Amino acid sequence: MTNFIKPVIWESDAIRLLNQQKLPGEVEYIFLKTIEDVWDSISELKVRGAPAIGITAAFGLALWAKKSGLNNLEILKSELGVKAEYLNSSRPTAVNLSWALQRLLKAAEEEASAEKVIERLETEAILIQQQDEETCKRIGEYGFSLLPDNANVLTHCNTGAIATSKYGTALGAFYIAKERGADLHVYATETRPVLQGARLTAWELQQAEIDVTLITDNMAAHVLKTKKIDAVLVGADRITANGDTANKIGTYGIAILAKAHGIPFYVAAPLSTIDLHTATGDDIVIEERHAEEVTHIGGKRIAPEDINVFNPAFDVTPSGLISGIVTEKGIVTGDYHTKLKELFEGLTV
Ligand code: MRU
């Protein structure tokens, strides 16, 4: 069995968080004690990856409620709405953030006293994290089923255990392969500007003894052409009703390259990343981040002072380039508009 490192640990009066900014040099845990700590950690990418962001925000809201000292139900509920909106503003693109917060607010509505609301928020946040473990394992199993023996796979960004609660989404397929004793080789792109591939995926897979080779982003075309790549497997931050997928900047380019080389391009994500309320990728808000992420590497300036910078954190891959969307409820292909909706039958969205 794999020894997974936990990115988010609920401590009842604080959140113990793996500081992903320090990896791979240092495995540091920090304690988040206030809602502002939670907002900052999400915004500064100390925790990142769509499901992990949602889990952290859920614990953040539960933590705030617990420490609020509020015992008036109406005041508590109305303040919860304000605090949820505040946490939701920490990063705009990954829909798991608002999904988790909405789930907590909905649970709070079902309770009849402030005390019960506070208890319920905590149990609901714990449940979200527990369910994500099971969800990711299933995604990993479905993802693994797509790969041939001795597969060569290319992935982008970090979609592993540290981006979720356990297993990860796209990386879940590689962990399952390892657990089943299957041979597999992964090419991980470094993922500029903040190097989730080099710092996190390369480290995570190496820790798990999964065969991984690191490449720079501009090597993807050459690797797809020359290294007998069987599939590209990536994660997602928001999948719209028609299957368009926002994921880490650079994903769209890799999808075009995969198409040009006749290589299947799969997206792996939980239902909590599917946003049926947003029609197409054109409607997704793409987060733009600080110029320093582009002008600096590891704190060292690599570009001239005062240079103009454009730094979108995500791009959108049109559904037409996606060979399949791997979820905990199976693999969706073809008519995404109809089939994504079918995944939610019997569930409220
Ligand atoms: O900016 P990040 O590091 O939060 O971006 C993460 C990604 O784009 C991941 O691919 C996505 O969230 C899926 S994580 C299972």
Side-chain angles (χ1 to χ4, degrees):
M1 280 300 284
T2 319
N3 266 334
F4 289 101
I5 184 156
K6 271 191 167 282
V8 187
I9 300 164
W10 177 239
E11 296 281 6
S12 207
D13 61 349
I15 301 166
R16 187 145 55 99
L17 190 82
L18 175 69
N19 183 358
Q20 300 193 30
Q21 285 289 18
K22 291 278 174 81
L23 290 171
E26 205 182 321
V27 178
E28 175 194 79
Y29 278 90
I30 52 175
F31 284 87
L32 313 182
K33 296 183 176 158
T34 66
I35 194 165
E36 290 78 18
D37 290 347
V38 175
W39 193 97
D40 290 345
S41 299
I42 296 173
S43 169
E44 293 165 11
L45 311 185
K46 288 177 181 156
V47 57
R48 33 67 49 206
I53 292 170
I55 291 163
T56 308
F59 282 130
L61 195 62
L63 182 69
W64 172 81
K66 218 172 172 180
K67 292 191 171 181
S68 70
L70 291 173
N71 52 19
N72 177 301
L73 181 62
E74 288 320 309
I75 296 176
L76 176 62
K77 280 187 183 171
S78 121
E79 276 300 300
L80 273 174
V82 175
K83 298 300 175 193
E85 217 168 287
Y86 166 66
L87 285 173
N88 196 39
S89 70
S90 55
R91 290 196 80 189
T93 305
V95 71
N96 303 62
L97 179 58
S98 58
W99 171 86
L101 292 166
Q102 284 307 319
R103 187 167 148 176
L104 257 66
L105 292 181
K106 214 164 148 207
E109 279 307 319
E110 290 168 11
E111 301 300 336
S113 72
E115 196 187 355
K116 289 275 174 219
V117 165
I118 291 167
E119 273 172 28
R120 178 71 187 279
L121 291 172
E122 183 170 358
T123 51
E124 198 67 23
I126 292 169
L127 195 62
I128 288 176
Q129 189 178 39
Q130 283 170 351
Q131 288 173 344
D132 186 66
E133 288 189 14
E134 190 48 41
T135 293
C136 286
K137 188 161 188 218
R138 282 206 216 111
I139 291 172
E141 281 161 355
Y142 282 119
F144 173 60
S145 76
L146 290 166
L147 304 176
D149 289 344
N150 280 311
N152 281 308
V153 189
L154 185 136
T155 192
H156 187 57
C157 195
N158 174 270
T159 62
I162 61 172
T164 59
S165 52
K166 207 174 181 180
Y167 281 95
T169 55
L171 293 200
F174 312 154
Y175 282 115
I176 295 291
K178 177 78 185 168
E179 287 181 2
R180 307 256 168 102
D183 282 328
L184 161 122
H185 183 83
V186 180
Y187 287 90
T189 54
E190 64 173 349
T191 319
R192 271 287 279 156
V194 294
L195 303 170
Q196 288 94 334
R199 294 189 302 106
L200 308 177
T201 299
W203 173 79
E204 211 188 304
L205 294 184
Q206 193 184 54
Q207 295 278 310
E209 297 181 359
I210 293 169
D211 196 9
V212 57
T213 300
L214 177 65
I215 59 170
T216 62
D217 296 330
N218 54 357
M219 295 172 189
H222 181 68
V223 167
L224 290 173
K225 185 177 171 195
T226 61
K227 293 292 183 186
K228 297 191 169 54
I229 302 296
D230 297 293
V232 174
L233 195 48
V234 298
D237 290 88
R238 189 183 294 251
I239 299 172
T240 56
N242 69 341
D244 291 349
T245 295
N247 191 48
K248 179 52 54 196
I249 191 75
T251 304
Y252 176 34
I254 296 172
I256 293 171
L257 292 172
K259 179 99 176 165
H261 292 91
I263 295 168
F265 178 92
Y266 298 112
V267 170
L271 264 57
S272 52
T273 302
I274 299 172
D275 175 11
L276 294 183
H277 301 294
T278 302
T280 75
D282 293 340
D283 307 311
I284 297 176
V285 175
I286 300 290
E287 175 186 8
E288 288 186 31
R289 296 187 55 85
H290 321 292
E292 287 70 30
E293 290 183 350
V294 175
T295 56
H296 289 65
I297 296 183
K300 191 174 183 310
R301 174 172 281 281
I302 52 149
E305 300 272 359
D306 300 326
I307 192 74
N308 292 329
V309 167
F310 176 47
N311 185 17
F314 303 95
D315 57 25
V316 176
T317 300
S319 58
L321 294 174
I322 300 172
S323 315
I325 298 178
V326 184
T327 76
E328 68 271 34
K329 288 181 90 179
I331 302 161
V332 174
T333 53
D335 176 5
Y336 292 115
H337 200 270
T338 307
K339 292 186 181 168
L340 288 177
K341 217 185 306 167
E342 283 170 4
L343 291 177
F344 290 87
E345 267 165 22
L347 304 173
T348 8
V349 283

